[in-house]
């Protein structure tokens, strides 16, 4: 082999997500996605957006905006697999709504708009791996609910689910949050059926966690992870799980998280353990975060530093400091939450965080790479 030739990816030399063009990001699933993140050595950035929040800038979704400022992965929060929609996505029924009440249940969908059955979702997910299939009306894969289609005009012609459509537009890996809580609508709960629906609609990864005041516990996350893993093996789905903040189940009177809980998550089938970045949740020091990361790695999982305490809307200097502390702790990937103002982190902070963990070269390449590149 000449010194100019690049070795083909092997199990000991996997491709780095850091350098992949959009077309390859869209194709990543399961273990291949996990290996590509691991090979990037702490230089992968995920940005979270709120599915129902109005776009910060007209004409693009918040996911596309985050991608334009350097995010590698997108995470869609408050996405309801029974009422699938993303504000600003072509074909959506409206531009967006006000800030959601995190824990407020909504009326359940009618039978006509309830989305696909678990059996249909499983069939769709399997078929999507080998080629696209045109969804039947009312199967939950279009961007418009069936019962709202008449008011919204014709449904989009693309057979893609909303998540797959966002991935195609942004050229990024796309996933959603699911929550093991009865305080959220049924379509947002961390159940095997909802996970199958999410995959059928285009999710490449799923994070099991809790929004504020949902009462989500580590034990609940573990149970949900084990149940989801039984229907979606590691080859098909990258499964992340953990806590970004207390979610109404922690008030500083007991350990936020311990090494045993991290081991339990990994034993339940979790690929990536989500943990608070240093200086986000009260009491999380670099030393504590480093111990958590070590426990995740020792158990065979990756670790994701999360900023889910609205500090994604702080000044750039604060964000850079959190980024460097997280890098020093050994995190494999980094997450910025959705509360810049509301709906997406400040774009400037996505850029600042990305430059801090990987420099301008890799950040600008990610920003500039066309979705037409293969």
């Amino acid at each position: 082999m000449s010194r100019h030739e690049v070795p083909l990816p092997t199990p000991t030399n996997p491709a780095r997500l850091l350098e992949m063009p959009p077309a390859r990001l869209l194709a990543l699933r399961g273990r291949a996605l996990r290996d590509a993140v691991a090979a990037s050595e702490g230089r992968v950035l995920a940005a979270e957006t709120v599915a129902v929040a109005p776009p910060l800038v007209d004409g693009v979704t918040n996911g596309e905006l985050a991608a334009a400022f350097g995010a590698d992965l997108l995470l869609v929060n408050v996405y309801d697999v029974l009422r699938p929609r993303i504000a600003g996505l072509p074909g959506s029924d409206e531009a967006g709504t006000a800030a959601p009440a995190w824990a407020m249940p909504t009326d359940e969908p009618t039978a006509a708009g309830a989305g696909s059955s678990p059996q249909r979702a499983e069939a769709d997910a399997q078929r999507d791996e080998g080629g696209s299939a045109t969804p039947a009306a009312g199967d939950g894969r279009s961007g418009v609910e069936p019962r709202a289609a008449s008011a919204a005009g014709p449904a989009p012609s693309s057979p893609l689910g909303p998540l797959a459509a966002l991935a195609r537009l942004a050229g990024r890996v796309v996933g959603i949050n699911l929550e093991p809580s009865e305080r959220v609508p049924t379509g947002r709960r961390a159940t095997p059926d909802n996970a199958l629906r999410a995959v059928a609609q285009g999710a490449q990864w799923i994070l099991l966690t809790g929004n504020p005041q949902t009462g989500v516990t580590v034990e609940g996350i573990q149970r949900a992870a084990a149940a989801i893993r039984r229907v979606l093996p590691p080859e098909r789905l990258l499964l992340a799980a953990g806590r970004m903040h207390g979610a109404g189940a922690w008030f500083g009177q007991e350990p936020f998280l311990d090494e045993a809980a991290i081991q339990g998550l990994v034993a339940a089938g979790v690929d990536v353990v989500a943990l608070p970045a240093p200086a986000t949740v009260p009491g999380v020091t670099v030393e504590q975060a480093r111990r958590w990361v070590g426990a995740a790695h020792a158990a065979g999982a990756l670790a994701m530093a999360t900023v889910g305490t609205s500090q994604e809307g702080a000044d750039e200097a604060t964000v850079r400091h959190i980024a460097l502390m997280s890098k020093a702790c050994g995190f494999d990937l980094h997450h910025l939450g959705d509360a810049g103002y509301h709906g997406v982190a400040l774009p400037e902070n996505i850029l600042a965080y990305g430059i801090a963990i990987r420099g301008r070269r890799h950040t600008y390449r990610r920003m500039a790479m066309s979705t037409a590149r293969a």
Side-chain angles (χ1 to χ4, degrees):
M1 179 184 298
S2 75
R3 63 186 180 90
H4 299 292
E5 292 176 339
V6 177
L8 294 175
T10 67
T12 57
N13 183 30
R16 304 195 302 182
L17 187 144
L18 180 71
E19 296 165 330
M20 288 184 177
R24 291 193 65 184
L25 296 182
L26 300 183
L28 286 175
R29 296 291 186 280
R31 283 202 177 103
L33 175 53
R34 181 193 184 281
D35 291 346
V37 170
S40 299
E41 299 181 355
R43 291 177 286 181
V44 173
L45 180 58
E48 188 169 358
T49 66
V50 174
V52 297
L56 188 61
V57 176
D58 60 293
V60 294
T61 61
N62 283 333
E64 291 170 272
L65 186 65
F69 278 78
D72 302 290
L73 276 63
L74 301 177
L75 180 66
V76 185
N77 194 16
V78 198
Y79 180 89
D80 192 317
V81 298
L82 300 180
R83 295 184 172 96
R85 62 176 300 270
I86 297 173
L89 192 70
S92 276
D93 53 346
E94 56 185 286
T97 63
W102 298 113
M104 183 181 296
T106 58
D107 294 335
E108 295 305 317
T110 63
S116 60
S117 68
Q119 294 80 9
R120 176 63 179 273
E122 168 71 6
D124 285 349
Q126 292 176 345
R127 194 160 55 245
D128 284 349
E129 291 181 352
S132 61
T134 303
D139 75 349
R141 295 181 66 199
S142 71
V144 183
E145 295 181 64
R147 60 179 177 171
S150 59
S157 58
S158 170
L160 296 175
L163 300 170
L166 175 60
R168 181 78 58 86
L169 287 173
R172 300 293 188 269
V173 175
V174 171
I176 68 167
N177 288 326
L178 290 177
E179 304 170 70
S181 171
E182 294 185 356
R183 299 185 189 177
V184 302
T186 302
R188 285 170 43 195
R189 294 177 190 171
T191 67
D193 292 349
N194 284 346
L196 287 168
R197 290 185 178 105
V199 171
Q201 293 166 20
Q204 295 166 265
W205 66 301
I206 289 175
L207 172 61
L208 308 180
T209 190
N211 277 299
Q213 304 305 313
T214 53
V216 169
T217 64
V218 173
E219 294 76 18
I221 294 172
Q222 289 176 354
R223 289 192 295 271
I228 289 171
R229 198 41 108 194
R230 284 194 286 271
V231 299
L232 286 166
E235 295 80 8
R236 293 187 57 197
L237 177 73
L238 179 75
L239 184 61
R243 301 178 79 167
M244 302 181 186
H245 47 68
W250 175 78
F251 303 97
Q253 299 174 352
E254 69 281 339
F256 180 82
L257 202 62
D258 58 25
E259 285 77 3
I262 291 171
Q263 293 167 357
L265 288 171
V266 180
V270 170
D271 300 300
V272 178
V273 180
L275 302 160
T280 57
V281 168
V284 178
T285 62
V286 168
E287 293 74 21
Q288 176 61 72
R290 179 61 187 147
R291 287 194 291 271
W292 285 338
V293 171
H297 287 169
L302 304 182
M304 178 170 71
T306 67
V307 182
T309 48
S310 297
Q311 287 164 285
E312 60 270 32
D315 60 283
E316 292 178 36
T318 297
V319 168
R320 289 190 193 99
H321 189 50
I322 292 172
L324 292 176
M325 286 190 293
S326 299
K327 190 77 174 287
C329 290
F331 282 102
D332 303 283
L333 64 157
H334 307 256
H335 155 279
L336 285 173
D338 54 39
Y341 294 106
H342 170 66
V344 64
L346 293 183
E348 295 85 353
N349 282 349
I350 298 174
L351 177 60
Y353 200 112
I355 291 174
I357 62 172
R358 65 194 173 197
R360 283 182 168 81
R361 172 185 168 226
H362 291 295
T363 300
Y364 289 177
R365 182 199 296 115
R366 176 58 68 214
M367 294 167 67
M369 238 182 227
S370 167
T371 55
R373 282 190 179 271

